[in-house]
Amino acid sequence: MTDSKPVGVALLGYGTVGEAVYRLLAENRHHFVQRIGGDIEVRGVAVNDASKPRDGVPAELLTDDAVGLVERDDVDIVVEVIGGIDYPREIVLKALQAGKSVVTANKALVAAHSAELAAAADEAGVDLYYEAAVAAAIPVLGPLRRSLAGDQVKSVMGIVNGTTNFILDAMESTGASYDEMLAEAMRLGYAEADPTADVEGHDAASKAAILASLAFHTRVSYDDVYCEGISHITAEDIEAAKTAGYVIKLLAICERIVDAEGVEKVSARVHPTLVPKDHPLASVKKSFNAIFVDAEAAGQLMFYGNGAGGNPTASAVLGDLVGAARNKVHGGRAPGESTYANLPLADFGEVPTRYHLDMEVNDRVGVLADVAQQFAQRGISLLTVRQEGSDNGARLVVVTHAAREADLADTAESLKSLDAVKSVNNVIRLEG
Ligand code: NDP
Ligand code: HSE
């Protein structure tokens, strides 16, 4: 833009995030004008039900025609905070193809269609920003894209879903029930419109795909991420973890691994994980997120902050909006996608993990040897074995060293059919 027309913004969605974006933009507009070096104006706000009044939004700005709004000539930047995949994909593509920059908080969309969206942005020479899509307020995509562009990232690991951390933390610290805390996370605006995405790990898997793509310069999609949620975690699991000196966290783990043939690969996975009580991730409470990045030259970096909610997410959306608006006013583009490394993706079965297994066994001579043999015959080495009496016989808690996930899973299955083993009560992976 070479003239002094205000940068026109289309805001798509006025829910938890959209409301906060609109309000903070209105409250701080004078700052944004200075930071952008030009004026900025919201041209319209698209919602599902445009007849419903929205506090602070003039009725003439409201529309249920998102496509029509995006196509207007006076719209330069589209902010998509509707959610979902198919409908926003259609609108975002339309916007990019029409030469409008896009800012989105929609991780499901980016993780499913990043190749197509990035290509459309490149083709049109516009910006596609999505800092809010991972860990809301925490600036982690910018550092991966820019600050660490001169380094080799080895791993990115952390808590990237506020809803599940909120639930697990409350169950651990107050004994609150799973259902009660899920309802509270929904009331506070942390959860997705369909909270299954949170509790089954899909939201974290989308974020893992985005983090792995940027960290390893390799296209990683949602479907490439192994994903297990927390809906099967019981109060008893949490109590057992506590007794053993751990907390349970839903972790996203993205790493470069070298397979048995010496081939470097990318692994991305999400699953409930035992973390020792003195590990920094164990102290991440409520809906906070924390992400560790390990890079060859930089060493370990930790990013911590608000991972969900209206204002924290709006902070990241507005940061992207200011960046895109600056580029509209002064020219230039944000760094685009870099997928040059194109590393192969590892099967989950070949990834090294560690297991914590808790089982009821018969209290008789030779049980320990029978159990240990199952591990030994698959080449899995044991870190600790603890046996204690229980009402039912004996309780055996085994912690392994790192081994191939497939071998560990196979061992856990085989233990269930051993005569000596009455039940395998808890099998959970362990980090740290
Ligand atoms: P909400 O469900 O609170 O809001 C969705 C908004 O989209 C509503 O205003 C709704 O309209 C509008 N909408 C729905 N369908 C259409 C349509 N067809 N056309 C136009 N508008 C439509 O979602 P959130 O604000 O929580 O989340 C939005 C996005 O931000 C999601 O992608 C989410 O993953 C992401 N995000 C959310 C975070 C959070 O903490 N909530 C954090 C980080 C990212 P109406 O009001 O009429 O129903
Ligand atoms: N539902 C998501 C969460 C919102 O709970 O983390 C932030 O992306």
Side-chain angles (χ1 to χ4, degrees), residues 127-307:
D127 287 329
L128 172 63
Y129 279 103
Y130 44 87
E131 182 64 66
V134 178
I138 307 173
V140 64
L141 303 189
L144 284 172
R145 266 184 209 276
R146 283 184 289 269
S147 323
L148 289 163
D151 208 333
Q152 301 297 324
V153 176
K154 294 191 281 187
S155 67
V156 181
M157 176 185 88
I159 296 165
V160 295
N161 182 270
T163 301
T164 47
N165 203 55
F166 183 80
I167 296 171
L168 291 172
D169 176 43
M171 286 172 77
E172 206 254 341
S173 55
T174 68
S177 81
Y178 175 94
D179 290 338
E180 195 189 334
M181 284 303 109
L182 174 56
E184 183 64 358
M186 290 168 74
R187 191 186 67 75
L188 291 167
Y190 303 152
E192 296 303 300
D194 174 1
T196 313
D198 296 290
V199 297
E200 297 304 344
H202 308 154
D203 176 81
S206 292
K207 292 164 176 168
I210 296 170
L211 288 167
S213 296
L214 295 178
F216 308 125
H217 304 275
T218 291
R219 175 91 51 215
V220 182
S221 309
Y222 168 81
D223 289 336
D224 301 319
V225 181
Y226 172 82
C227 174
E228 222 180 87
I230 66 156
S231 59
H232 63 287
I233 300 287
T234 61
E236 289 71 37
D237 293 334
I238 288 178
E239 205 41 50
K242 205 172 180 176
T243 310
Y246 297 98
V247 292
I248 301 179
K249 296 290 187 189
L250 183 72
L251 295 193
I253 302 169
C254 313
E255 52 191 1
R256 276 196 276 150
I257 65 161
V258 177
D259 75 4
E261 278 76 49
V263 178
E264 190 175 45
K265 293 182 172 172
V266 165
S267 154
R269 58 191 194 269
V270 167
H271 50 69
T273 312
L274 286 180
V275 176
K277 269 185 188 148
D278 57 358
H279 190 281
L281 285 175
S283 58
V284 177
K285 304 288 185 188
K286 301 189 176 171
S287 64
F288 282 89
N289 286 188
I291 298 164
F292 284 96
V293 177
D294 192 7
E296 277 171 18
Q300 282 229 333
L301 306 166
M302 184 175 177
F303 299 82
Y304 172 85
N306 270 311

Side-chain angles (χ1 to χ4, degrees), residues 37-93:
D39 204 357
I40 182 162
E41 251 176 45
V42 176
R43 305 294 190 199
V45 179
V47 287
N48 195 34
D49 178 4
S51 66
K52 193 170 121 192
R54 319 281 167 150
D55 259 2
V57 185
E60 64 274 15
L61 285 190
L62 290 170
T63 176
D64 57 11
D65 178 12
V67 175
L69 175 59
V70 162
E71 285 176 339
R72 273 171 53 167
D73 287 341
D74 61 352
V75 165
D76 305 296
I77 301 174
V78 171
V79 176
E80 186 275 308
V81 284
I82 293 177
I85 298 184
D86 294 340
Y87 184 59
R89 168 181 168 267
E90 187 193 320
I91 309 180
V92 164
L93 280 174

Side-chain angles (χ1 to χ4, degrees), residues 240-402:
K242 205 172 180 176
T243 310
Y246 297 98
V247 292
I248 301 179
K249 296 290 187 189
L250 183 72
L251 295 193
I253 302 169
C254 313
E255 52 191 1
R256 276 196 276 150
I257 65 161
V258 177
D259 75 4
E261 278 76 49
V263 178
E264 190 175 45
K265 293 182 172 172
V266 165
S267 154
R269 58 191 194 269
V270 167
H271 50 69
T273 312
L274 286 180
V275 176
K277 269 185 188 148
D278 57 358
H279 190 281
L281 285 175
S283 58
V284 177
K285 304 288 185 188
K286 301 189 176 171
S287 64
F288 282 89
N289 286 188
I291 298 164
F292 284 96
V293 177
D294 192 7
E296 277 171 18
Q300 282 229 333
L301 306 166
M302 184 175 177
F303 299 82
Y304 172 85
N306 270 311
N311 279 357
T313 310
S315 164
V317 169
L318 289 166
D320 282 352
L321 178 57
V322 168
R326 272 192 199 130
N327 291 341
K328 288 283 175 194
V329 172
H330 305 290
R333 278 185 78 200
E337 293 239 324
S338 147
T339 52
Y340 77 91
N342 199 18
L343 294 173
L345 299 163
D347 281 340
F348 185 48
E350 65 180 318
V351 171
T353 57
R354 292 172 65 198
Y355 270 30
H356 177 283
L357 300 102
D358 189 334
M359 51 202 133
E360 287 290 336
V361 296
N362 291 314
D363 196 3
R364 64 158 174 75
V365 175
V367 167
L368 206 54
D370 289 351
V371 168
Q373 197 200 2
Q374 295 301 313
F375 290 94
Q377 69 194 27
R378 291 169 182 87
I380 300 168
S381 140
L382 303 183
L383 177 69
T384 58
V385 178
R386 204 178 70 240
Q387 184 172 352
E388 51 194 53
S390 80
D391 303 341
N392 223 2
R395 184 167 162 231
L396 201 58
V397 179
V398 175
V399 176
T400 74
H401 279 292

